[in-house]
């Protein structure tokens, strides 16, 4: 399992300093302090399914409480936000999510004869892999491009994950602490404020 | 598309947003609406006729609109710029955070069709005072003279209606005005009268690695030309701008003012000469009189419709919104070329993992360049491309890994843990126009009730061969530099074409001066008028065209 490149607390400590601008601090601190979230767009069962799918695409057994990736999707769909484009083969995002999550549900039943929620982690992975490979069974996939839906879902979850300060700490990223600028920018150089990497 | 009746009135009826979302439709259908008394619709408020008519309206404040606006204002004309997005304060508003900076992109949904659908949003389009320059990489290479004559040299594509010598003085002017940092002499292309005003920005880790790989293969490299200051610079109409601090966040907005986006360069200059820049103004309609002459525009500002009258209109909204506005208003359509010739730069990226620490978020993302691939000897395609090292911000990169490598679960997290050891190279190459690459209005409506644009894009033989040639070469460069786990992310970058300029109204929308062939007082000035895609980043050429278009217009007004 991935272990954090930077020591725990690195980003939190940096956020408390004037190495970080107010705008940057506001954005990152809000993610660190995110309160418990109640779905407003998805119904409870579908939201839980989305959370379980997210847990397979971003397994986080190393964290006491995982970085929650579903709230931002629920919020975006609720407010109708867009990233500026969508594959023409996909229906509007709300419909794509409804069909896609329904498809995952259906495929789990066809392949394993049980709800996705009751499958083992490996079985859930097999369902998701089939969706990505466009081999997932179930009539819903006749109306939705499985691999394009999977790509969109994965990209959105991925961007939500790596936007989180703890995920940035995990990959050794401290670009947020840029108020003094960076002068040591060549190979193998680091500033004093960049911590040593956990090896 | 407006119907006959509304066209005759010259005004689009205010359209109620239609619910596109089938889920919402079904929810509304399932839940019986509470019976509401039928209230007669209030008569639409008459949009007041403004008392004055301005000389010029400029729609869009990016690389096309801003330099032009400044030029017209400096000539003493009364000019108004209408910008769909807000006016930001970079020092206060621009976080070093990719998600928080999403407001810089044109996030109204575009539908991407064809075999190789083009990504929009953060990939290539911007909003806000300054347009896409708010988040361009500030890479400002000049095109080569031969770039403008692809048809002459290869028998494919389209030549520009004028030669390089027409743009050259503007390149020089822009480089000096914006304070471009770059190598002198520049290793490729014709000798220059003046060098870059500032020394190149320092090379970062990715640039050093690319240099190492290219050296081993005998490929010449050079620090790139960037519109970001390597030293403090005094700029007319603006004052002192501070040097770049190597934040590496050019594509998410420069918070220090070192990057020459239009909001810290041409727009303050324009404002100093009396230009009226209005943020938050979304143009929906272009009005004409009986003779077909444009009389003004209607725009929405904070939800209120406004009308502004003008003598001349300059459409500078980019290669998607410009043709969209033309199609919505059935304007300049006689050539049949509005929306056609849509081109997107081949932009394949190749990443590798290195033993060295790269920390790819530091320094100007586009740090090192090679134009040795401008006309490769072993090419099996027309045209050429450039190579550039790329720095990467974590969220954007992670999204590309998910889409491009299709990794998820533990393998994705493991791969991303090497973030500090990853470096990339990418290309920007010429693209040929094809009949099946075009923009059209979709049936689906946006929140304003206007049809969404749908863009069809498919790489054809020439683009496929160019990308393959480039990918092979970049893999060799990374191998020579000592990379492991090399992989390619196929992508298309800048969007170009859709309202091209040419010598005749039979196959072009505007003439060599940017003037529409079939509307007496309409000018177009942005990447939509490019007859061919060029083998370089478009920003500098768009700005040069803007200055040239303004000068030609002013000459003709005398």
């Amino acid at each position: 399992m991935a272990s954090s490149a930077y020591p725990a607390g690195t980003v939190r400590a940096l956020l408390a300093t004037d190495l970080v601008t107010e705008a940057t601090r506001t954005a990152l601190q809000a993610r660190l302090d995110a309160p418990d979230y109640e779905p407003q767009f998805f119904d409870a069962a579908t939201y839980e399914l989305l959370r379980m799918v997210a847990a397979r695409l971003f397994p986080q057994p190393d964290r006491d409480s995982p970085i929650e990736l579903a709230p931002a999707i629920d919020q975006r769909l609720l407010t109708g936000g867009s990233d500026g484009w969508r594959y023409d083969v996909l229906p509007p995002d709300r419909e794509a999510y409804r069909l896609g999550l329904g498809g995952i549900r259906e495929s789990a039943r066809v392949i394993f004869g049980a709800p996705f929620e009751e499958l083992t982690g490996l079985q859930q992975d097999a369902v998701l892999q089939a969706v990505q490979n466009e081999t997932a069974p179930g009539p819903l996939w006749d109306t939705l491009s499985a691999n394009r839906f999977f790509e969109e879902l994965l990209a959105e979850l991925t961007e939500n994950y790596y936007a989180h300060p703890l995920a940035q700490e995990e990959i050794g990223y401290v670009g947020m602490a840029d108020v003094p600028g960076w002068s040591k920018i060549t190979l193998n150089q680091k500033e004093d404020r960049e911590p040593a990497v956990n090896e | 598309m407006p119907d006959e009746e509304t066209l005759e009135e010259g005004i689009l009826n205010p359209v109620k947003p239609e619910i596109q979302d089938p889920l919402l439709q079904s929810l509304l259908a399932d839940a019986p609406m509470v019976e509401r008394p039928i209230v007669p619709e209030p008569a639409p408020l008459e949009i007041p006729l403004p008392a004055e008519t301005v000389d010029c309206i400029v729609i869009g404040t990016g690389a096309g609109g801003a330099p032009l606006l400044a030029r017209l204002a400096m000539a003493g004309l009364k000019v108004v710029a209408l910008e769909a997005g807000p006016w930001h304060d970079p020092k206060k508003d621009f976080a070093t955070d990719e998600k928080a900076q999403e407001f810089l992109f044109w996030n109204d949904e575009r539908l991407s069709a064809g075999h190789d659908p083009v990504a929009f949003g953060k990939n290539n389009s911007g909003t806000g005072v300054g347009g896409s320059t708010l988040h361009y990489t500030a890479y400002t290479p000049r095109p080569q003279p031969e770039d403008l004559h692809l048809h002459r040299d290869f028998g494919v594509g389209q030549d520009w209606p004028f030669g390089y010598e027409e743009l050259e003085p503007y390149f020089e002017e822009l480089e000096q005005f914006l304070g471009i940092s770059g190598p002198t002499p520049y290793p490729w292309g014709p000798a220059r009268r003046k060098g870059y005003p500032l020394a190149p920005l320092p090379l970062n880790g990715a640039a050093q690695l690319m240099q190492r790989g290219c050296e081993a293969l005998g490929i010449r490299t050079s620090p790139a030309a960037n519109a970001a200051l390597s030293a403090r610079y005094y700029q007319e109409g603006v004052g002192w701008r501070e040097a770049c601090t190597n934040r590496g966040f050019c594509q998410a907005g420069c918070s220090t003012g070192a990057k020459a986006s239009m909001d810290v360069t041409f727009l303050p200059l324009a404002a100093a000469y009396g230009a009226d820049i209005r943020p938050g103004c979304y143009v929906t309609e272009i009005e004409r009189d009986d003779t077909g002459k444009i009389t003004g525009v209607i725009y929405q500002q904070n939800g209120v419709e406004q009308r502004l009258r003008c003598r001349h209109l300059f459409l500078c909204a980019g290669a998607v919104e410009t043709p969209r506005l033309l199609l919505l208003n059935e304007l300049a359509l006689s050539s049949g070329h509005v929306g056609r010739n849509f081109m997107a730069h081949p932009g394949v990226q190749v990443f590798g993992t290195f033993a060295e620490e790269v920390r790819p978020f530091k320094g100007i993302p586009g740090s090192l360049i090679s134009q040795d691939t401008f006309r490769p000897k072993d090419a099996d395609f027309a045209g050429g491309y450039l190579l550039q090292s790329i720095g990467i911000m974590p969220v954007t990169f992670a999204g590309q890994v998910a889409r491009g490598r299709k990794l998820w679960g533990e393998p994705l997290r493991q791969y991303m843990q090497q973030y500090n050891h990853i470096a990339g190279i990418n290309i920007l190459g010429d693209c040929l126009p094809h009949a099946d690459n075009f923009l059209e209005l979709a049936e689906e409506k946006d929140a304003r009730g206007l049809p969404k644009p749908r863009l069809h894009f498919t790489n054809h033989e020439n683009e496929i061969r160019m990308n393959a040639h480039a990918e092979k070469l970049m893999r060799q460069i990374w191998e020579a530099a000592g990379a492991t786990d090399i992989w390619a992310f196929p992508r298309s970058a800048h969007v170009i074409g859709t309202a091209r300029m040419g010598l005749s109204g039979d196959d072009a929308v505007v003439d060599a001066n940017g003037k529409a062939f079939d509307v007496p007082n309409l000018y177009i000035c942005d990447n939509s008028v490019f007859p061919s895609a060029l083998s370089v980043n478009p920003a500098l050429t768009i700005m040069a065209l803007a200055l040239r278009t303004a000068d030609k217009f002013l000459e003709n007004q005398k």
Side-chain angles (χ1 to χ4, degrees), chain A residues 3 31 86 94 178 194, chain B residues 21 96-97 109 362 417:
Chain A
S3 70
R31 278 169 227 150
R86 101 171 181 254
R94 291 173 176 176
D178 64 350
E194 295 181 81
Chain B
D21 182 345
T96 305
D97 182 81
E109 199 161 77
K362 293 183 193 173
Q417 281 227 287

